[in-house]
Amino acid sequence: MALQSSAVKFRRILAHFPQELSLAFAYGSGVFQQAGASAAETGVKILTQNENVKLQAALTSNLKSAVTAAFLMLPESFSEEDLYMQIAGLSYCGDFRMIIGEDKSKVMNIVKPNMLHFQKLYSNILEDCPQVVYKHQQGKLEIDKSPEGQFVQLMALPRTLQQQITFLMDPPGKNRDVEEILLQVAHDPDCGLVVHQGISGIVRSSSLIQSAKTTLTAGIKKSVTYSMKKMYKMSKGWLRKT
C-alpha cells in the first residue's frame, strides 16, 4: 500500500499514539514485501532511533531478552544463522496461523537476506555476553548449557515469560517461588522445550485475540478471502521445499 495514497488513514492511526513518540512499528506482510521466489525486496525494515534514550534502552532490553530465550532453546554449539532463525521465529512460536495459513519458510525468508542487519543488531550483545563464545569470523557460537548457566539465563528472561513457565511447571496448590521453579527447569534436560512452551503460550493467546479483532474489524467475507490467500501462499512455500 503506497504511503501517498493512504496518508489520511495513517494520520488517523497516528493520532492515537502519544505525542512524545517519534516512531512506531507496523506488522504485516503488507508493510514491506518479503523475500521469496518472486520478491526482490526483503520483509524486514531495520529502523534506528538514537534521540530517545528510554526508547533505545527498551529496544536493547528486548534484543537481549530475545537472545537469552534463543540461547535456552539452542544446543551447546550453533551457527549465527541458527541463532537469528531462532530469534526471528520467537514471534511465531505457538501462532496457530503458522499451522494454517502461513508460508512455513517465512522465518527463513526474513533471516537469509538480512544476515548483515541481524549481525549489526546483535553482535555487540553477543560479544559482551560472558556465557557465550562468539567466533565472529567463523559465524559460530558456543553457549554454557550447565544447570548454573541455564539458571542465570532463565533469571534474565522477561517477567511475563518467567510467570508463564511457572504456570506450566507448578502443580496446582503448591504456589512455589518463581526462583525455585526456574532452578528446577535449569536442571531439566528439556529446559529448552519448557521455554519454547512458555513462549508459545504467550504468542498463542496474542495471535487468537489478534485474529478475532481482525475478523470483527474486516468482516467475515474479507477475513475468509485473506485466509484463502494465505493458504495459497503456504502451499506455494511447501511446494518449493518439496
Side-chain angles (χ1 to χ4, degrees):
M1 186 184 297
L3 182 60
Q4 289 82 359
S5 64
S6 308
V8 175
K9 289 182 181 178
F10 276 106
R11 281 199 295 270
R12 192 180 302 154
I13 293 169
L14 291 172
H16 294 281
F17 283 82
Q19 293 301 308
E20 64 270 18
L21 291 185
S22 54
L23 63 83
F25 296 92
Y27 168 80
S29 55
V31 181
F32 299 107
Q33 189 172 7
Q34 291 183 34
S38 61
E41 299 177 62
T42 66
V44 174
K45 188 73 171 178
I46 306 297
L47 301 177
T48 58
Q49 168 60 287
N50 297 320
E51 304 167 7
N52 193 318
V53 177
K54 286 185 179 179
L55 177 60
Q56 194 62 42
L59 291 173
T60 302
S61 177
N62 283 343
L63 294 176
K64 288 180 178 179
S65 295
V67 168
T68 303
F71 281 166
L72 286 160
M73 293 187 287
L74 286 163
E76 188 174 357
S77 300
F78 48 92
S79 69
E80 268 192 278
E81 185 176 297
D82 292 334
L83 173 63
Y84 301 143
M85 290 278 284
Q86 192 71 253
I87 290 171
L90 291 175
S91 298
Y92 303 108
C93 287
D95 190 338
F96 76 96
R97 291 169 295 188
M98 290 300 289
I99 301 171
I100 303 174
E102 286 287 3
D103 186 349
K104 297 296 185 293
S105 58
K106 185 170 187 172
V107 174
M108 183 178 66
N109 290 342
I110 291 172
V111 173
K112 281 190 174 294
N114 291 284
M115 282 295 292
L116 290 176
H117 292 303
F118 277 98
Q119 287 173 338
K120 185 177 179 181
L121 276 175
Y122 291 101
S123 59
N124 288 339
I125 293 172
L126 296 176
E127 287 168 359
D128 293 340
C129 181
Q131 292 183 301
V132 69
V133 177
Y134 178 33
K135 302 173 183 176
H136 181 69
Q137 298 298 326
Q138 296 95 336
K140 300 289 184 182
L141 300 99
E142 293 177 7
I143 186 71
D144 180 6
K145 300 299 285 187
S146 68
E148 294 79 12
Q150 292 193 140
F151 179 64
V152 171
Q153 293 159 27
L154 287 164
M155 289 298 291
L157 290 174
R159 187 69 178 169
T160 304
L161 180 51
Q162 290 179 343
Q163 290 171 340
Q164 183 69 17
I165 292 170
T166 301
F167 173 76
L168 290 171
M169 299 298 292
D170 196 27
K174 275 208 167 186
N175 298 319
R176 289 184 298 162
D177 184 69
V178 172
E179 189 171 331
E180 181 186 346
I181 292 168
L182 294 182
L183 184 60
Q184 175 194 329
V185 174
H187 285 80
D188 193 325
D190 293 325
C191 175
L193 179 60
V194 174
V195 173
H196 184 276
Q197 290 174 338
I199 295 171
S200 296
I202 295 170
V203 174
R204 186 181 302 112
S205 174
S206 176
S207 67
L208 287 168
I209 292 170
Q210 185 62 41
S211 295
K213 285 181 178 178
T214 301
T215 303
L216 289 171
T217 305
I220 301 291
K221 185 178 180 181
K222 285 185 179 179
S223 296
V224 170
T225 303
Y226 176 78
S227 299
M228 292 300 291
K229 287 180 180 178
K230 284 286 187 180
M231 290 290 288
Y232 174 68
K233 189 177 178 181
M234 181 182 73
S235 65
K236 285 209 308 185
W238 182 80
L239 287 171
R240 283 200 301 272
K241 282 185 73 175
T242 53

